[in-house]
Amino acid sequence: MLDEAASLSGLNRSAWSRQPQGDLEFAVLPEATPETSVLGSFVHHLGIRLRDHNVRPSVPRIRLRLAMDTGVVAAAALGHAGPAPVAVARYVNALQLRTVLAAHPTADLAVIVSDRLYQDVVKSGGPDLDPAQYVRVHVRAKEFGGYGWIRVPGHTPDEVRSSLTEVHERRPSREDCVPTRASLSQYVRQGAAVGRDVTGGLTVGLPVSPRPTGPGSVR
């Protein structure tokens, strides 16, 4: 389904750097990948592929959570590291995203994008990109705190908001706004995304070479 959705969106999955992680897949996309194709067409076709799969009575149903962010991604001993992989891991496991998918049994896909992607890409609109379909939430987990925007294809923003009424969303404190080494992203130029399904998973992203911080040191 992922291969088909990517192909229909003009994306080459064989060029993605994919890292299976149990029921999760993390993938880094080529740097030139247009974010609009991932956020718009790919999500659209993935939703259709999931729906077509799930209407078949003889196969186990698959429901996905997909999270996407843009930022620094660096190779690490066990896969990838950087602010973006940390952020997408927090987004994809956010209580709000889990709650929304659980509250809508007919939904096959729940998507959350970072505030940066929403402001820079989604708000500009385009095919399969309607900013009015997204609902803003504040996600806080461990050292991470940030806003994200949730969309559930086939369900209205009001339905999403209604399912979030029992989720306590603490407004970010002043401490949340203080960058830490884990959350610094001043070198962000491209994007990374991660996704996870309820019984399986997905992730996506764009690599960026971090700038050196000084002679003899590398960030």
mmCIF file of all heavy atoms in Angstrom, residues 106 109 133 151-156 159:
data_model
loop_
_atom_site.group_PDB
_atom_site.id
_atom_site.type_symbol
_atom_site.label_atom_id
_atom_site.label_comp_id
_atom_site.label_asym_id
_atom_site.label_seq_id
_atom_site.Cartn_x
_atom_site.Cartn_y
_atom_site.Cartn_z
ATOM 1 N N THR A 106 -14.233 4.069 12.318
ATOM 2 C CA THR A 106 -14.296 3.930 10.865
ATOM 3 C C THR A 106 -13.092 4.557 10.170
ATOM 4 O O THR A 106 -12.921 4.389 8.959
ATOM 5 C CB THR A 106 -15.576 4.577 10.309
ATOM 6 O OG1 THR A 106 -15.582 5.975 10.621
ATOM 7 C CG2 THR A 106 -16.815 3.913 10.899
ATOM 8 N N LEU A 109 -6.888 6.162 8.876
ATOM 9 C CA LEU A 109 -5.637 6.911 8.931
ATOM 10 C C LEU A 109 -5.822 8.177 9.767
ATOM 11 O O LEU A 109 -6.814 8.885 9.624
ATOM 12 C CB LEU A 109 -5.200 7.293 7.515
ATOM 13 C CG LEU A 109 -3.937 8.124 7.331
ATOM 14 C CD1 LEU A 109 -2.703 7.342 7.784
ATOM 15 C CD2 LEU A 109 -3.789 8.555 5.871
ATOM 16 N N GLN A 133 -8.815 21.645 7.331
ATOM 17 C CA GLN A 133 -9.096 20.284 7.765
ATOM 18 C C GLN A 133 -8.237 19.851 8.946
ATOM 19 O O GLN A 133 -8.407 18.745 9.464
ATOM 20 C CB GLN A 133 -8.879 19.311 6.600
ATOM 21 C CG GLN A 133 -9.857 19.484 5.458
ATOM 22 C CD GLN A 133 -11.295 19.292 5.917
ATOM 23 O OE1 GLN A 133 -11.630 18.286 6.541
ATOM 24 N NE2 GLN A 133 -12.147 20.258 5.604
ATOM 25 N N ARG A 151 -5.135 15.756 11.313
ATOM 26 C CA ARG A 151 -6.163 15.600 10.278
ATOM 27 C C ARG A 151 -6.537 14.124 10.194
ATOM 28 O O ARG A 151 -5.654 13.252 10.245
ATOM 29 C CB ARG A 151 -5.629 16.072 8.931
ATOM 30 C CG ARG A 151 -6.573 15.792 7.753
ATOM 31 C CD ARG A 151 -5.867 15.960 6.429
ATOM 32 N NE ARG A 151 -6.668 15.429 5.329
ATOM 33 C CZ ARG A 151 -6.165 15.055 4.163
ATOM 34 N NH1 ARG A 151 -4.862 15.141 3.953
ATOM 35 N NH2 ARG A 151 -6.956 14.574 3.218
ATOM 36 N N VAL A 152 -7.825 13.842 10.091
ATOM 37 C CA VAL A 152 -8.312 12.478 9.909
ATOM 38 C C VAL A 152 -9.108 12.452 8.610
ATOM 39 O O VAL A 152 -10.240 12.945 8.558
ATOM 40 C CB VAL A 152 -9.197 12.024 11.085
ATOM 41 C CG1 VAL A 152 -9.697 10.596 10.859
ATOM 42 C CG2 VAL A 152 -8.431 12.114 12.396
ATOM 43 N N PRO A 153 -8.514 11.921 7.533
ATOM 44 C CA PRO A 153 -9.232 11.879 6.260
ATOM 45 C C PRO A 153 -10.595 11.201 6.406
ATOM 46 O O PRO A 153 -10.726 10.144 7.020
ATOM 47 C CB PRO A 153 -8.300 11.036 5.366
ATOM 48 C CG PRO A 153 -6.936 11.276 5.942
ATOM 49 C CD PRO A 153 -7.150 11.361 7.422
ATOM 50 N N GLY A 154 -11.629 11.856 5.856
ATOM 51 C CA GLY A 154 -12.975 11.319 5.944
ATOM 52 C C GLY A 154 -13.752 11.797 7.148
ATOM 53 O O GLY A 154 -14.941 11.476 7.291
ATOM 54 N N HIS A 155 -13.102 12.574 8.020
ATOM 55 C CA HIS A 155 -13.771 13.103 9.210
ATOM 56 C C HIS A 155 -13.528 14.612 9.288
ATOM 57 O O HIS A 155 -12.452 15.097 8.937
ATOM 58 C CB HIS A 155 -13.257 12.417 10.465
ATOM 59 C CG HIS A 155 -13.659 10.975 10.556
ATOM 60 N ND1 HIS A 155 -14.788 10.553 11.214
ATOM 61 C CD2 HIS A 155 -13.080 9.868 10.042
ATOM 62 C CE1 HIS A 155 -14.884 9.236 11.119
ATOM 63 N NE2 HIS A 155 -13.865 8.794 10.396
ATOM 64 N N THR A 156 -14.525 15.332 9.764
ATOM 65 C CA THR A 156 -14.443 16.787 9.805
ATOM 66 C C THR A 156 -13.600 17.261 10.986
ATOM 67 O O THR A 156 -13.418 16.526 11.969
ATOM 68 C CB THR A 156 -15.848 17.401 9.930
ATOM 69 O OG1 THR A 156 -16.386 17.073 11.229
ATOM 70 C CG2 THR A 156 -16.778 16.870 8.841
ATOM 71 N N GLU A 159 -15.397 16.928 14.244
ATOM 72 C CA GLU A 159 -15.381 15.572 14.791
ATOM 73 C C GLU A 159 -14.074 15.295 15.512
ATOM 74 O O GLU A 159 -14.048 14.650 16.564
ATOM 75 C CB GLU A 159 -15.599 14.552 13.670
ATOM 76 C CG GLU A 159 -16.993 14.556 13.091
ATOM 77 C CD GLU A 159 -17.136 13.603 11.925
ATOM 78 O OE1 GLU A 159 -16.263 13.609 11.035
ATOM 79 O OE2 GLU A 159 -18.126 12.846 11.896
#
